[in-house]
Amino acid sequence: MGLFGNSQKKIIEELHKKSEDHCKEISREIENLLDDLKTDYDENQEVVQEFSSFVEEIKSKLSPEDATKLLDFSSRLTKVKRCAKKGVEAMRELARDQRKLTSETRMEYEEYFYAK
């Protein structure tokens, strides 16, 4: 006879199944969010470069005060781009970590069930 009775083993198996289902669902949600975020980022990646080029074209036509404001805005827009890129990278890491955790949890349950 094992460490647990049949009813206890059945409860643990149900918890394993439920845990695995939750992990898979979370992984799918993270992957979908990552895909959406990456798509949006890729579509808008060139905007900052285009805006910077535009600023260079028109800054000589503006008053010094307006040119300074525009350059400041351009600088802040570049920071927003960096934040967006970091967000995509963070989601990619989260997706990888979630897949790894799901795999490790599955292996731990399998080791438990098949250890004799």
Side-chain angles (χ1 to χ4, degrees):
M1 182 166 166
L3 185 59
F4 297 105
N6 284 341
S7 64
Q8 292 166 324
K9 188 171 182 177
K10 185 176 179 178
I11 291 170
I12 293 171
E13 287 174 344
E14 288 174 9
L15 288 173
H16 168 242
K17 177 71 173 134
K18 199 178 227 183
S19 174
E20 190 171 14
D21 290 346
H22 288 308
C23 286
K24 286 179 181 179
E25 183 180 331
I26 290 169
S27 291
R28 275 192 303 272
E29 287 180 29
I30 290 171
E31 289 293 334
N32 289 340
L33 289 171
L34 175 60
D35 289 344
D36 292 347
L37 186 60
K38 187 166 179 2
T39 298
D40 289 346
Y41 179 79
D42 289 344
E43 287 175 0
N44 295 295
Q45 186 173 348
E46 300 300 319
V47 170
V48 172
Q49 183 62 34
E50 291 172 12
F51 184 73
S52 295
S53 296
F54 177 69
V55 167
E56 287 301 316
E57 284 179 31
I58 67 166
K59 75 178 181 181
S60 62
K61 299 174 185 175
L62 299 173
S63 69
E65 297 84 24
D66 288 341
T68 301
K69 287 179 185 178
L70 192 57
L71 289 172
D72 180 56
F73 181 73
S74 179
S75 173
R76 289 185 285 148
L77 190 58
T78 301
K79 289 178 185 178
V80 169
K81 179 183 176 185
R82 274 189 298 234
C83 289
K85 186 175 182 178
K86 286 179 183 178
V88 171
E89 291 169 359
M91 281 297 286
R92 188 176 296 121
E93 286 180 31
L94 180 62
R96 185 196 69 228
D97 292 347
Q98 178 63 27
R99 283 190 305 270
K100 183 178 175 184
L101 180 63
T102 300
S103 177
E104 289 173 357
T105 301
R106 185 179 307 128
M107 287 184 344
E108 287 174 3
Y109 273 115
E110 288 171 1
E111 284 176 12
Y112 168 78
F113 284 122
Y114 300 115
K116 294 193 179 198

Tab-separated table of all heavy atoms in Angstrom, residues 20-42:
chain	number	residue	atom	x	y	z
A	20	GLU	N	-2.658	22.038	-13.907
A	20	GLU	CA	-2.129	22.027	-15.270
A	20	GLU	C	-3.017	22.832	-16.211
A	20	GLU	O	-2.532	23.600	-17.042
A	20	GLU	CB	-1.991	20.587	-15.765
A	20	GLU	CG	-1.243	20.473	-17.065
A	20	GLU	CD	-0.937	19.037	-17.433
A	20	GLU	OE1	-1.523	18.108	-16.831
A	20	GLU	OE2	-0.108	18.848	-18.326
A	21	ASP	N	-4.331	22.684	-16.077
A	21	ASP	CA	-5.267	23.457	-16.906
A	21	ASP	C	-5.110	24.955	-16.672
A	21	ASP	O	-5.100	25.741	-17.624
A	21	ASP	CB	-6.712	23.033	-16.628
A	21	ASP	CG	-7.034	21.647	-17.142
A	21	ASP	OD1	-6.253	21.103	-17.947
A	21	ASP	OD2	-8.074	21.090	-16.713
A	22	HIS	N	-4.977	25.349	-15.411
A	22	HIS	CA	-4.786	26.772	-15.101
A	22	HIS	C	-3.471	27.282	-15.694
A	22	HIS	O	-3.432	28.378	-16.265
A	22	HIS	CB	-4.793	27.016	-13.587
A	22	HIS	CG	-6.128	26.879	-12.945
A	22	HIS	ND1	-7.260	27.527	-13.375
A	22	HIS	CD2	-6.515	26.161	-11.865
A	22	HIS	CE1	-8.278	27.217	-12.619
A	22	HIS	NE2	-7.860	26.377	-11.687
A	23	CYS	N	-2.428	26.512	-15.553
A	23	CYS	CA	-1.120	26.918	-16.096
A	23	CYS	C	-1.183	27.077	-17.609
A	23	CYS	O	-0.656	28.041	-18.162
A	23	CYS	CB	-0.041	25.910	-15.714
A	23	CYS	SG	0.461	25.999	-13.988
A	24	LYS	N	-1.838	26.130	-18.281
A	24	LYS	CA	-1.955	26.211	-19.739
A	24	LYS	C	-2.775	27.430	-20.148
A	24	LYS	O	-2.441	28.118	-21.114
A	24	LYS	CB	-2.584	24.932	-20.292
A	24	LYS	CG	-1.641	23.758	-20.284
A	24	LYS	CD	-2.320	22.512	-20.819
A	24	LYS	CE	-1.399	21.318	-20.794
A	24	LYS	NZ	-2.055	20.099	-21.291
A	25	GLU	N	-3.851	27.695	-19.413
A	25	GLU	CA	-4.700	28.852	-19.725
A	25	GLU	C	-3.928	30.158	-19.550
A	25	GLU	O	-3.981	31.042	-20.403
A	25	GLU	CB	-5.938	28.848	-18.838
A	25	GLU	CG	-6.903	29.976	-19.135
A	25	GLU	CD	-8.131	29.938	-18.226
A	25	GLU	OE1	-8.525	28.849	-17.785
A	25	GLU	OE2	-8.667	31.020	-17.972
A	26	ILE	N	-3.196	30.253	-18.457
A	26	ILE	CA	-2.394	31.458	-18.208
A	26	ILE	C	-1.319	31.603	-19.287
A	26	ILE	O	-1.090	32.703	-19.792
A	26	ILE	CB	-1.771	31.413	-16.796
A	26	ILE	CG1	-2.867	31.582	-15.739
A	26	ILE	CG2	-0.708	32.492	-16.635
A	26	ILE	CD1	-2.404	31.298	-14.320
A	27	SER	N	-0.694	30.502	-19.653
A	27	SER	CA	0.328	30.545	-20.704
A	27	SER	C	-0.266	31.036	-22.019
A	27	SER	O	0.345	31.854	-22.713
A	27	SER	CB	0.954	29.165	-20.907
A	27	SER	OG	1.738	28.808	-19.797
A	28	ARG	N	-1.453	30.535	-22.376
A	28	ARG	CA	-2.110	30.987	-23.612
A	28	ARG	C	-2.421	32.475	-23.555
A	28	ARG	O	-2.190	33.204	-24.528
A	28	ARG	CB	-3.401	30.209	-23.839
A	28	ARG	CG	-3.223	28.895	-24.549
A	28	ARG	CD	-4.556	28.309	-25.007
A	28	ARG	NE	-5.505	28.121	-23.915
A	28	ARG	CZ	-5.588	27.027	-23.156
A	28	ARG	NH1	-4.776	26.030	-23.366
A	28	ARG	NH2	-6.482	26.947	-22.196
A	29	GLU	N	-2.927	32.945	-22.420
A	29	GLU	CA	-3.250	34.365	-22.279
A	29	GLU	C	-1.986	35.219	-22.411
A	29	GLU	O	-1.996	36.248	-23.087
A	29	GLU	CB	-3.929	34.626	-20.943
A	29	GLU	CG	-5.350	34.122	-20.871
A	29	GLU	CD	-5.999	34.404	-19.523
A	29	GLU	OE1	-5.646	35.385	-18.859
A	29	GLU	OE2	-6.883	33.617	-19.140
A	30	ILE	N	-0.911	34.794	-21.765
A	30	ILE	CA	0.348	35.534	-21.845
A	30	ILE	C	0.853	35.552	-23.282
A	30	ILE	O	1.277	36.603	-23.790
A	30	ILE	CB	1.407	34.945	-20.887
A	30	ILE	CG1	1.017	35.219	-19.434
A	30	ILE	CG2	2.790	35.521	-21.179
A	30	ILE	CD1	1.881	34.507	-18.408
A	31	GLU	N	0.809	34.412	-23.954
A	31	GLU	CA	1.270	34.345	-25.353
A	31	GLU	C	0.432	35.262	-26.243
A	31	GLU	O	0.974	35.956	-27.106
A	31	GLU	CB	1.211	32.900	-25.873
A	31	GLU	CG	2.247	31.983	-25.278
A	31	GLU	CD	3.678	32.319	-25.662
A	31	GLU	OE1	3.917	32.924	-26.723
A	31	GLU	OE2	4.568	31.970	-24.875
A	32	ASN	N	-0.891	35.266	-26.043
A	32	ASN	CA	-1.759	36.144	-26.836
A	32	ASN	C	-1.445	37.611	-26.581
A	32	ASN	O	-1.378	38.413	-27.523
A	32	ASN	CB	-3.230	35.859	-26.540
A	32	ASN	CG	-3.704	34.537	-27.085
A	32	ASN	OD1	-3.098	33.971	-27.989
A	32	ASN	ND2	-4.774	34.008	-26.528
A	33	LEU	N	-1.275	37.960	-25.314
A	33	LEU	CA	-0.934	39.349	-24.987
A	33	LEU	C	0.422	39.730	-25.570
A	33	LEU	O	0.604	40.835	-26.087
A	33	LEU	CB	-0.930	39.560	-23.471
A	33	LEU	CG	-2.298	39.531	-22.798
A	33	LEU	CD1	-2.139	39.524	-21.276
A	33	LEU	CD2	-3.141	40.716	-23.241
A	34	LEU	N	1.377	38.818	-25.501
A	34	LEU	CA	2.701	39.077	-26.076
A	34	LEU	C	2.603	39.274	-27.583
A	34	LEU	O	3.198	40.216	-28.130
A	34	LEU	CB	3.662	37.929	-25.756
A	34	LEU	CG	5.055	38.014	-26.397
A	34	LEU	CD1	5.772	39.293	-25.949
A	34	LEU	CD2	5.876	36.788	-26.043
A	35	ASP	N	1.835	38.432	-28.253
A	35	ASP	CA	1.664	38.575	-29.703
A	35	ASP	C	1.046	39.931	-30.043
A	35	ASP	O	1.510	40.618	-30.960
A	35	ASP	CB	0.787	37.450	-30.261
A	35	ASP	CG	1.492	36.102	-30.264
A	35	ASP	OD1	2.732	36.067	-30.128
A	35	ASP	OD2	0.790	35.084	-30.396
A	36	ASP	N	-0.004	40.304	-29.308
A	36	ASP	CA	-0.655	41.600	-29.552
A	36	ASP	C	0.309	42.752	-29.313
A	36	ASP	O	0.400	43.685	-30.122
A	36	ASP	CB	-1.882	41.771	-28.649
A	36	ASP	CG	-3.015	40.838	-28.996
A	36	ASP	OD1	-2.977	40.220	-30.085
A	36	ASP	OD2	-3.941	40.703	-28.167
A	37	LEU	N	1.026	42.692	-28.200
A	37	LEU	CA	1.960	43.759	-27.853
A	37	LEU	C	3.086	43.854	-28.877
A	37	LEU	O	3.435	44.948	-29.330
A	37	LEU	CB	2.529	43.502	-26.455
A	37	LEU	CG	3.411	44.575	-25.836
A	37	LEU	CD1	2.656	45.890	-25.695
A	37	LEU	CD2	3.906	44.108	-24.474
A	38	LYS	N	3.624	42.720	-29.275
A	38	LYS	CA	4.710	42.704	-30.251
A	38	LYS	C	4.234	43.231	-31.601
A	38	LYS	O	4.933	44.007	-32.253
A	38	LYS	CB	5.287	41.302	-30.392
A	38	LYS	CG	6.514	41.263	-31.270
A	38	LYS	CD	7.252	39.969	-31.144
A	38	LYS	CE	8.470	39.850	-31.998
A	38	LYS	NZ	8.885	40.925	-32.809
A	39	THR	N	3.035	42.835	-32.009
A	39	THR	CA	2.476	43.321	-33.278
A	39	THR	C	2.323	44.836	-33.253
A	39	THR	O	2.736	45.529	-34.189
A	39	THR	CB	1.110	42.651	-33.551
A	39	THR	OG1	1.314	41.240	-33.661
A	39	THR	CG2	0.484	43.181	-34.820
A	40	ASP	N	1.733	45.352	-32.167
A	40	ASP	CA	1.558	46.805	-32.043
A	40	ASP	C	2.904	47.518	-32.032
A	40	ASP	O	3.069	48.557	-32.672
A	40	ASP	CB	0.776	47.153	-30.774
A	40	ASP	CG	-0.687	46.768	-30.861
A	40	ASP	OD1	-1.166	46.471	-31.979
A	40	ASP	OD2	-1.351	46.755	-29.810
A	41	TYR	N	3.867	46.955	-31.314
A	41	TYR	CA	5.191	47.570	-31.247
A	41	TYR	C	5.841	47.585	-32.628
A	41	TYR	O	6.378	48.604	-33.064
A	41	TYR	CB	6.080	46.833	-30.243
A	41	TYR	CG	7.466	47.418	-30.166
A	41	TYR	CD1	7.707	48.585	-29.440
A	41	TYR	CD2	8.536	46.825	-30.838
A	41	TYR	CE1	8.973	49.143	-29.382
A	41	TYR	CE2	9.793	47.374	-30.785
A	41	TYR	CZ	10.018	48.530	-30.057
A	41	TYR	OH	11.259	49.081	-30.019
A	42	ASP	N	5.794	46.450	-33.323
A	42	ASP	CA	6.410	46.363	-34.648
A	42	ASP	C	5.774	47.333	-35.633
A	42	ASP	O	6.469	47.940	-36.451
A	42	ASP	CB	6.327	44.931	-35.186
A	42	ASP	CG	7.243	43.973	-34.447
A	42	ASP	OD1	8.165	44.438	-33.723
A	42	ASP	OD2	7.037	42.750	-34.572
